[in-house]
């Protein structure tokens, strides 16, 4: 189910690098993305971002929320909303698997990247993810302060 975006036939439109830092990535799915004509033209321009976006199951369908696809300037009369919800095209079994993982295991559906496949179709790579534990800075601060104090004590004795 991997997208194979390392392949030169695929063209990356938007990447969510922060997702791999913030989450432990589980199963990865490839989904189609329902777009209007001006959204496709903007994606091909490569200025879109999905860093703040997320996906969720709603009414038996999976939607991509808060993905920023800028307006296409040459078609301003028929432009789209930049952050509108966009439907993801998945099989019913995949939607059921995503929904169950979110409800039962408390996982999150995270978009990883938007790209164009070799046929020129816009695809989204989404993943089931679990949030990583926050790094406790207090423990590292305690260790740093103790090492500093220990060095002072050793200097003063000697």
């Amino acid at each position: 189910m991997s997208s194979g975006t390392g392949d030169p036939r695929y063209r990356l439109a938007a990447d969510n690098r922060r997702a791999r830092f913030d989450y432990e990535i589980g199963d990865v799915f490839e989904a189609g993305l329902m777009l209007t004509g001006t959204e496709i033209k903007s994606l091909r321009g490569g200025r879109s971002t999905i860093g703040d976006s997320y996906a969720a199951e709603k009414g038996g369908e999976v939607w991509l929320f808060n993905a920023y696809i800028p307006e296409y300037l040459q078609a301003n009369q028929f432009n789209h909303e930049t952050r509108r919800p966009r439907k993801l095209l998945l099989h019913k079994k995949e939607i059921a698997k995503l929904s169950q993982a979110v409800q039962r295991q408390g996982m999150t559906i995270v978009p990883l990247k938007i790209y164009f496949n070799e046929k020129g179709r816009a695809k989204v790579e989404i993943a089931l993810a679990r949030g990583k534990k926050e790094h406790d800075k207090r423990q590292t601060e305690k260790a740093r302060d103790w090492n500093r104090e220990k060095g002072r004590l050793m200097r003063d004795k000697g």
Side-chain angles (χ1 to χ4, degrees):
M1 292 192 175
S2 176
S3 65
T5 53
D7 193 331
R9 294 177 297 182
Y10 296 89
R11 199 171 73 73
L12 191 63
D15 193 12
N16 188 358
R17 291 186 223 147
R18 183 136 183 107
R20 296 192 189 277
F21 180 76
D22 289 342
Y23 297 97
E24 293 176 16
I25 304 298
D27 293 338
V28 177
F29 298 88
E30 180 183 65
L33 186 59
M34 285 189 69
L35 299 170
T36 63
T38 58
E39 289 173 330
I40 292 170
K41 291 176 183 180
S42 291
L43 270 177
R44 290 192 195 282
R47 297 180 325 212
S48 59
T49 60
I50 58 170
D52 297 332
S53 64
Y54 63 96
E57 188 265 336
K58 182 179 173 184
E61 299 173 335
V62 179
W63 292 81
L64 180 66
F65 295 98
N66 208 26
Y68 177 74
I69 299 176
E71 293 179 343
Y72 186 65
L73 298 176
Q74 287 80 2
N76 60 5
Q77 184 179 6
F78 303 106
N79 264 333
H80 58 273
E81 294 178 37
T82 57
R83 293 191 182 269
R84 76 172 181 87
R86 293 166 177 93
K87 184 178 173 182
L88 298 181
L89 305 173
L90 292 160
H91 295 286
K92 287 183 181 181
K93 287 182 180 179
E94 292 174 329
I95 293 172
K97 184 175 183 178
L98 290 168
S99 179
Q100 288 175 358
V102 168
Q103 291 173 359
R104 294 185 184 157
Q105 300 169 359
M107 298 186 91
T108 306
I109 304 171
V110 179
L112 299 176
K113 55 184 79 171
I114 297 177
Y115 61 94
F116 290 98
N117 65 5
E118 70 264 358
K119 293 181 181 179
R121 295 192 176 116
K123 298 287 184 174
V124 178
E125 189 174 273
I126 58 174
L128 283 171
R130 190 178 311 277
K132 289 184 181 177
K133 292 183 179 176
E134 293 281 329
H135 179 66
D136 189 6
K137 291 183 179 179
R138 293 173 295 178
Q139 191 64 29
T140 57
E141 288 172 3
K142 285 180 188 176
R144 183 190 64 214
D145 292 344
W146 169 244
N147 286 336
R148 192 177 296 156
E149 188 65 30
K150 188 170 59 172
R152 287 182 190 143
L153 290 172
M154 296 300 281
R155 259 193 327 256
D156 292 344
K157 280 188 173 185

